[in-house]
Amino acid sequence: MRVELDNLSKSWDDVIGADRITLDITDGELVAFLGPSGCGKTTTLLMVAGIYKPTGGTISFDGHVVNEVAPKDRGIGMVFQSYALYPHMSVFGNISYPLRLQKLGKGEIKERVQAVADMMGIGDLLDRKIAQLSGGQQQRVALGRALVKQPDLLLFDEPLSNLDARLRLTMRGEIKRLQEDLGITSIYVTHDQVEAMTMADRIAVMSKGVLQAYDVPEALYDRPKTLFVAAFVGNPPMNFFDVDIVRDNGDFRAKSEAIDLVLPQDRGEKAAAADGKVIMGVRPEDINVVGDATPPAEGLTLNGEAVVVEPLGREDLVGISINGVDMRVLVDKTKEVAVGDTISLVFNTSRAQFFDPETELSLLWA
Amino acid sequence: MTTVETAPPRPAAGPLPKGRQKTGRYFAYGFLILSIVPIVVGYAWLVIATVSTRTRGLLPINAEGGIGGLTLSNWDFVFDGAIWSAMLNSLLIAVAMVIGVGIASTSGGYALSRMKFPGRRGFLTMTLVLHAFKAEMLLIAIFFVLRFLGDIPIIGGFIGFNSVGGVALVMVALELPLGIWLMKGFFDNLSWDMERAALIDGASRFRVWWQIMLPQVRPGIAALSLFTFIVGWNAYLVPFTFTIGTKVANMPVFLNQLISDTAPVNWNLVAAVGLFQMIPLIIFFIFTQELLLNIYAGGTKGT
Ligand SMILES: Nc1ncnc2c1ncn2[C@@H]1O[C@H](COP(=O)(O)OP(=O)(O)OP(=O)(O)O)[C@@H](O)[C@H]1O
Ligand SMILES: [Mg+2]
C-alpha cells in the first residue's frame, strides 16, 4: 500500500506533537521514523493508525484520504513497545481477537492463528497465559496479532526496546525478513539508529515535531543535509569543530586556534561560500592514528593528547584533546593507547561536512 | 504501564544472624497477637452470648449464678417472619446498591478517566465537594425528592418515599462519588496502548470498555462491590428516615426496634440478631476475596 502524509500536524493546546510532516512511502517499503525522545514519532504513527485525529494536513492510503476512517477500517496492524497484549486472554485469545471481531468461522480462525503462530515460532504456546511468557515470546505474540489480520500496513512503535541486546539483534533480522517476505508496507518507529540503518529502506529523521530529513540510510550518513542529522545519525557521533575557511595559495584550509587542516578543492570551495565561520564535522572513523597504514600527510596531521580511553571490544573509543579542542576517535586495540599519550592524527577531510552555524544547514548538500 | 505489576522486590538487606532474626520475629508476632486480643475477645463474647441466658465476662451463667445455662432461645427469632422480611429488605438494598453503583461507577469512571468532554474537570471536583456533605444534612431535601418520585404513576410506588426501592436509590446516589472516583483511579492506571491495540484490532469503544478494560479492573470492581454491599447491608440512617413500620424495615432498623421496644433490653437476643446479620457479609466476602487478593497477579511487561 502507498502511504502519503501531506503537511500532517498535531498539536494539543500549546504542545506541538508533529509539525507539517510531508513524506510518501511506496508499496512494500519499510520506513523508519528516527529521532530523540519526544520528537513526535509516536504522535505521527498514531495519526496514521487513526488513534489521534490530525489537527492539520492529510493522510492518504493508495491515493484515498483516510483522515476520517476509523482505525479498524484502515487495514493496519500495530505492534507497541509495551506489547499491549490482553493479559486476561490466552495467547490464542490474543492472536485470534482481530479475527473474532471480524466474525470469521471457528475453523478459519483456528487455521489462521495456527499458521501465524507457527510462523512466529510460538505455535506450541497457544494455550499459555500472557503472564507465563518471556518478554521475547510476548513480543512474538504481539507481532502475530498484528499479522493475523493480513494488514496492508504494519506499524511498529519501538517494538524491540524492552528486549535485551542479543534478542533485539535476532528479532531485528526476523522482522525485516518477515516484512520482506510478506511485502507489507511498514513504518518502524525507533530511537535506535542502528536499528533504523540496518532495517529501513528509507529513514525519516525527526526533531521537535519537524521532519529533518527523509532519505536512504547511506545518504543520511554520507550527505547529511542538516547539522541535526549529522549529529544524530552515526555512532559514535560525529565530531564538530568551529573553524574559519581561509584561502591560502589556492588551497582551502579549515583554521582555528587549535586546528589547521587542508581541505579538498570541491568541499573547500563550497564551505568557503559562507565566507567566515563554519562548523566542520568529521566522523570518528575519518580520523586515524598515524601508523603503517596511515602515513602522516602534509597539512592533514595534528598532534593531540589522549584524555579518555573507552574499550569497545574490537576497538577503543579514545577521547583526544588537541590544544583544548575535544574529539572522539576510533583506535585499533593493537595501538594500545593509554591516557596521557601524545598521538598523531591524520584527518580524512575529503569526507568532512560543513554547516552554516546560523541556519545549521549543510553547505555541501542543502 | 504501571497498573498491575508484580510487587517490587524486597530490598536486599544483609542477612541477620539466625538468632536475632528469630527473636525479632517472635517479638513482631507477639506484638501483633497482643493488639488483636481485644477484638477477638469481643467476637468471642458475641458468639457465646447468643447461646447463653446471661454472661459474666466470657462465661455463660445460669439463674443460680453458676457456670452453665446454655440455651438456644435467643435464636427463636429465626422462626419469626419479621426478621426474614427485614433480611430480604436488607438484601434488596445491598444488591441494588452493588448493581447500581457498579454499573454507574465502571462506566462513569471509564469516561472520566479516558474521554475528553467539556465539564469533565468541573464534574470531578464537584463530586468530591458534594461527597463532603453528610447524608444527615441532605435528609430533608431527599425527603422532598422521594415524595416527588412517589407521585410518578406506575413506578412511583417502587422508588418513592417508604419503599425499599426509594431507599436503595438514595443509597446508590450517596455512594456514587466514592465509587466513580475509585474506578476512575483504576482506569487511570491502565495502559492506553492496550486500548489502542483493541481499537486497531477492530473493537468499538463500547466493546473495548466491556471486553478489554473491565477485565483489567476486576479487583477494583470486587473491592467496590464488597464495600458497597457492606454499606448497603448496614444502612441505618436512610432506611430509618425514609421508611415507616416493619414491612419495609431492613436489618439494622429491625435491630434498633428490638433494642427500643423490649424493656429491659435482652442483650443476648441483640447479640444473636447481630451475629445473624453478619452471615451474609461473610458469605459475600468469601466470594469476592479471591478477586481482591488478585490485585498483584499477572499483567503486562514493559512500560
Ligand atoms: N496526548 C498528548 N497530550 C499532550 N501532549 C502530548 C500527547 N502525546 C504526546 N504529546 C507531546 O507531543 C510530543 C511528541 O510526543 P511523542 O510521544 O510523539 O514522542 P516520541 O517521539 O514518540 O518520543 P519517545 O521516543 O519518547 O516515545 C511530546 O512533547 C509529548 O509531550
Ligand atoms: Mg514514542
Side-chain angles (χ1 to χ4, degrees):
Chain A
M1 190 163 71
R2 218 168 69 244
V3 180
E4 283 146 352
L5 311 184
D6 183 18
N7 279 303
L8 192 63
S9 308
K10 175 75 183 176
S11 54
W12 296 268
D13 303 324
D14 51 348
V15 185
I16 294 176
D19 192 9
R20 283 163 291 165
I21 307 273
T22 300
L23 57 81
D24 65 287
I25 301 168
T26 58
D27 188 42
E29 202 176 14
L30 190 152
V31 165
F33 287 0
L34 178 65
S37 187
C39 70
K41 307 180 296 282
T42 301
T43 305
T44 311
L45 199 69
L46 288 177
M47 282 195 281
V48 175
I51 302 289
Y52 282 170
K53 244 189 173 26
T55 43
T58 58
I59 306 159
S60 320
F61 290 176
D62 280 336
H64 302 289
V65 175
V66 294
N67 282 35
E68 299 299 322
V69 177
K72 64 186 168 83
D73 300 323
R74 293 196 182 194
I76 50 176
M78 184 157 174
V79 181
F80 294 83
Q81 178 179 6
S82 62
Y83 312 149
L85 297 173
Y86 314 128
H88 57 295
M89 299 182 191
S90 65
V91 171
F92 180 86
N94 269 272
I95 300 181
S96 66
Y97 192 62
L99 302 183
R100 282 186 281 144
L101 292 182
Q102 289 174 14
K103 305 237 155 40
L104 297 184
K106 270 217 163 77
E108 187 184 355
I109 291 180
K110 232 177 152 170
E111 231 166 74
R112 275 171 68 175
V113 171
Q114 190 67 50
V116 164
D118 287 342
M119 183 165 71
M120 300 306 310
I122 46 171
D124 51 345
L125 300 178
L126 287 177
D127 297 328
R128 291 268 192 99
K129 281 258 179 210
I130 295 303
Q132 298 165 343
L133 299 180
S134 72
Q137 291 167 331
Q138 292 191 16
Q139 183 60 70
R140 284 162 200 271
V141 176
L143 204 54
R145 188 179 61 183
L147 284 173
V148 78
K149 288 188 284 192
Q150 303 170 344
D152 299 319
L153 175 63
L154 267 175
L155 306 176
F156 298 89
D157 192 356
E158 309 200 20
L160 305 183
S161 51
N162 284 335
L163 301 178
D164 68 67
R166 217 194 157 80
L167 196 54
R168 208 178 303 169
L169 212 71
T170 327
M171 288 299 290
R172 203 161 81 193
E174 227 167 282
I175 291 178
K176 179 64 188 164
R177 185 178 50 73
L178 263 173
Q179 189 267 338
E180 268 174 356
D181 288 355
L182 302 173
I184 306 177
T185 315
S186 303
I187 303 179
Y188 191 101
V189 163
T190 178
H191 58 241
D192 178 345
Q193 42 155 324
V194 179
E195 227 168 83
M197 300 287 277
T198 51
M199 294 178 73
D201 298 310
R202 281 194 285 174
I203 301 177
V205 182
M206 296 177 68
S207 156
K208 296 183 186 139
V210 179
L211 182 65
Q212 291 277 334
Y214 182 42
D215 216 329
V216 295
E218 304 77 51
L220 291 181
Y221 195 77
D222 295 332
R223 300 185 291 281
K225 286 201 176 73
T226 66
L227 186 63
F228 177 83
V229 173
F232 193 74
V233 176
N235 189 25
M238 194 181 269
N239 298 297
F240 293 102
F241 313 101
D242 291 315
V243 295
D244 293 302
I245 305 295
V246 294
R247 201 160 184 161
D248 181 19
N249 293 335
D251 278 346
F252 289 99
R253 303 186 82 99
K255 262 191 151 156
S256 73
E257 280 181 14
I259 292 173
D260 184 4
L261 293 166
V262 176
L263 304 179
Q265 198 68 22
D266 54 337
R267 296 207 177 199
E269 203 160 338
K270 284 182 181 153
D275 62 19
K277 296 206 168 300
V278 302
I279 298 172
M280 178 169 77
V282 186
R283 293 205 181 275
E285 65 266 30
D286 293 330
I287 307 176
N288 295 296
V289 178
V290 169
D292 298 340
T294 42
E298 172 67 28
L300 294 174
T301 312
L302 297 172
N303 290 325
E305 187 195 344
V307 285
V308 206
V309 178
E310 294 174 36
L312 296 181
R314 197 155 49 88
E315 296 159 312
D316 290 336
L317 182 61
V318 182
I320 293 175
S321 170
I322 298 182
N323 302 330
V325 174
D326 292 325
M327 64 204 68
R328 302 219 271 182
V329 178
L330 286 171
V331 181
D332 201 285
K333 262 240 142 45
T334 55
K335 294 252 166 38
E336 292 184 352
V337 175
V339 173
D341 287 0
T342 301
I343 304 172
S344 277
L345 299 169
V346 180
F347 285 70
N348 182 2
T349 52
S350 65
R351 287 173 56 84
Q353 307 289 335
F354 298 93
F355 301 94
D356 185 324
E358 297 288 316
T359 61
E360 303 197 342
L361 294 177
S362 173
L363 295 164
L364 305 181
W365 322 110
Chain B
M1 197 184 80
T2 48
T3 7
V4 263
E5 343 181 274
T6 39
R10 261 184 265 172
L16 286 170
K18 257 261 147 61
R20 263 186 65 192
Q21 217 174 358
K22 234 176 185 167
T23 350
R25 187 171 302 168
Y26 285 142
F27 191 78
Y29 276 116
F31 178 77
L32 288 175
I33 288 170
L34 228 78
S35 58
I36 61 164
V37 160
I39 303 169
V40 173
V41 169
Y43 279 113
W45 178 85
L46 188 72
V47 175
I48 293 165
T50 61
V51 289
S52 322
T53 34
R54 282 167 58 207
T55 50
R56 182 187 301 139
L58 283 179
L59 298 176
I61 318 249
N62 58 19
E64 286 79 49
I67 293 176
L70 292 178
T71 170
L72 278 179
S73 64
N74 292 326
W75 288 92
D76 283 348
F77 66 84
V78 299
F79 302 110
D80 184 358
I83 185 111
W84 292 107
S85 126
M87 188 143 196
L88 182 69
N89 287 336
S90 266
L91 201 67
L92 280 176
I93 293 172
V95 169
M97 274 187 74
V98 168
I99 294 172
V101 172
I103 291 175
S105 302
T106 47
S107 51
Y110 175 80
L112 287 167
S113 164
R114 291 305 223 231
M115 293 176 172
K116 237 185 173 171
F117 51 87
R120 176 179 164 274
R121 283 188 69 93
F123 184 85
L124 278 172
T125 20
M126 195 72 152
T127 38
L128 260 199
V129 172
L130 288 182
H131 195 50
F133 285 84
K134 299 278 294 177
E136 288 88 333
M137 303 165 67
L138 303 170
L139 286 179
I140 311 285
I142 292 171
F143 172 69
F144 283 111
V145 172
L146 284 182
R147 283 279 298 275
F148 171 80
L149 289 178
D151 288 340
I152 299 174
I154 308 171
I155 58 165
F158 298 102
I159 57 170
F161 177 70
N162 200 23
S163 71
V164 175
V167 169
L169 201 63
V170 173
M171 294 295 296
V172 167
L174 290 174
E175 200 63 14
L176 273 188
L178 178 83
I180 289 175
W181 269 87
L182 184 81
M183 290 320 297
K184 176 187 174 293
F186 272 88
F187 283 118
D188 281 348
N189 273 329
L190 294 184
S191 102
W192 274 98
D193 282 354
M194 204 189 297
E195 194 161 357
R196 289 170 180 155
L199 284 174
I200 291 172
D201 281 350
S204 64
R205 199 72 195 253
F206 178 79
R207 192 188 284 275
V208 170
W209 173 73
W210 176 247
Q211 283 188 339
I212 305 295
M213 301 315 263
L214 275 192
Q216 315 305 318
V217 297
R218 269 191 319 225
I221 298 175
L224 181 63
S225 302
L226 186 62
F227 291 147
T228 341
F229 190 90
I230 293 173
V231 169
W233 188 257
N234 290 336
Y236 174 68
L237 182 71
V238 173
F240 178 70
T241 316
F242 298 122
T243 58
I244 309 165
T246 49
K247 240 185 77 203
V248 283
N250 66 347
M251 284 295 286
V253 173
F254 179 84
L255 196 63
N256 194 54
Q257 282 166 357
L258 220 57
I259 296 174
S260 36
D261 288 355
T262 45
V265 180
N266 180 351
W267 286 112
N268 299 76
L269 174 61
V270 172
V273 176
L275 193 63
F276 186 69
Q277 191 193 337
M278 275 172 54
I279 293 169
L281 280 187
I282 294 167
I283 294 172
F284 196 79
F285 176 73
I286 290 169
F287 274 112
T288 49
Q289 70 153 353
E290 178 135 343
L291 273 171
L292 283 173
L293 298 179
N294 241 343
I295 289 187
Y296 286 113
T300 336
K301 289 197 178 169
T303 40

